[in-house]
Amino acid sequence: MERVVLGLGSNRSFNGLDPCGILFRACTEICSFLHDAVFSSIYRTGAMYVSEQDDFYNMVASGCFDGTARELLDRIHAVEDSYGRDRSKEIRFGPRPLDIDIELFGDLRIDEPDLVVPHERMTERAFVLVPFLEILDEDADSWNSGFYRDCLASLSDQKIEMYMNRSDFPVFSPDSGLDGSDCRSVLN
């Protein structure tokens, strides 16, 4: 089992769910395959690369995955698809109902055409580093926080603000007493 970090983002509604609703529902699905999952707060961030679009709502999830990085990629693509993600019809870096990236997969380094780990742009994105550092203290044995704090220090020009504290949703709160098997019951 490997400790992994996923970056989640949304800036478009789908089937009556706003971006935060999509993130919340996606987190409950992630609990079905990410053991001991920990979720950051949700941050509102300015769009990067293609600036003429709505702000994104971003967060990070960390937990243990029992499988390969390729299997995890397949699982997160299935979650994205269930919220209307269609890569064939979207603009790269453009609006989307749900985007989930594998940021870290243990200490593995993978460089394949459709899977690069660590994520090649992780250290240039405050929208990944801020929520990652928020939950890193709960996972301090896995990664070097000093390196990521140094990377974040150079990104002060990026728009990012906490939008919703993770304690506002039981599934996000480390004090909730919920384990991964309970996540879906929060919404049902």
Side-chain angles (χ1 to χ4, degrees), residues 61 86 95 102:
D86 184 349
I102 301 173

Side-chain angles (χ1 to χ4, degrees), residues 27-37 39 171 177-185:
C27 287
T28 64
E29 291 186 41
I30 286 170
C31 284
S32 72
F33 56 84
L34 206 62
H35 307 284
D36 300 321
F39 300 95
V171 73
L178 297 175
D179 64 20
S181 63
D182 295 319
C183 288
R184 288 181 188 274
S185 66

Side-chain angles (χ1 to χ4, degrees), residues 1-187:
M1 212 175 291
E2 290 287 351
R3 193 63 144 160
V4 302
V5 173
L6 303 177
L8 292 83
S10 175
N11 77 336
R12 221 176 74 203
S13 298
F14 177 74
N15 275 357
L17 289 173
D18 67 10
C20 288
I22 291 169
L23 290 175
F24 183 71
R25 297 255 178 171
C27 287
T28 64
E29 291 186 41
I30 286 170
C31 284
S32 72
F33 56 84
L34 206 62
H35 307 284
D36 300 321
V38 177
F39 300 95
S40 74
S41 299
I42 297 174
Y43 292 83
R44 186 175 179 172
T45 63
M48 292 182 69
Y49 316 114
V50 177
S51 58
E52 296 301 317
Q53 60 181 311
D54 292 339
D55 286 348
F56 274 85
Y57 295 86
N58 294 95
M59 64 183 302
V60 163
S62 176
C64 293
F65 183 71
D66 189 16
T68 67
R70 176 67 52 195
E71 291 167 335
L72 179 58
L73 185 64
D74 291 343
R75 297 294 296 265
I76 63 176
H77 280 175
V79 174
E80 290 175 332
D81 293 348
S82 69
Y83 293 96
R85 178 95 190 252
D86 184 349
R87 284 176 174 75
S88 70
K89 295 180 180 177
E90 67 186 28
I91 300 166
R92 184 175 166 98
F93 303 123
R96 60 200 61 184
L98 183 61
D99 181 35
I100 306 174
D101 291 329
I102 301 173
E103 304 294 343
L104 298 169
F105 194 94
D107 292 328
L108 289 180
R109 298 205 172 278
I110 302 168
D111 190 2
E112 298 174 6
D114 63 337
L115 179 61
V116 177
V117 178
H119 192 285
E120 66 251 341
R121 289 178 296 282
M122 177 182 180
T123 57
E124 69 182 47
R125 295 172 164 180
F127 67 80
V128 172
L129 293 176
V130 169
F132 175 54
L133 288 166
E134 176 188 341
I135 65 171
L136 185 62
D137 292 338
E138 297 171 36
D139 200 14
D141 295 336
S142 297
W143 293 286
N144 177 358
S145 66
F147 170 75
Y148 295 106
R149 288 182 201 290
D150 289 346
C151 292
L152 180 60
S154 67
L155 305 177
S156 61
D157 61 327
Q158 293 182 19
K159 174 187 169 186
I160 182 165
E161 61 187 7
M162 185 180 289
Y163 180 77
M164 189 173 298
N165 191 294
R166 66 191 182 141
S167 64
D168 292 341
F169 288 121
V171 73
F172 295 169
S173 171
D175 302 322
S176 68
L178 297 175
D179 64 20
S181 63
D182 295 319
C183 288
R184 288 181 188 274
S185 66
V186 173
L187 292 172

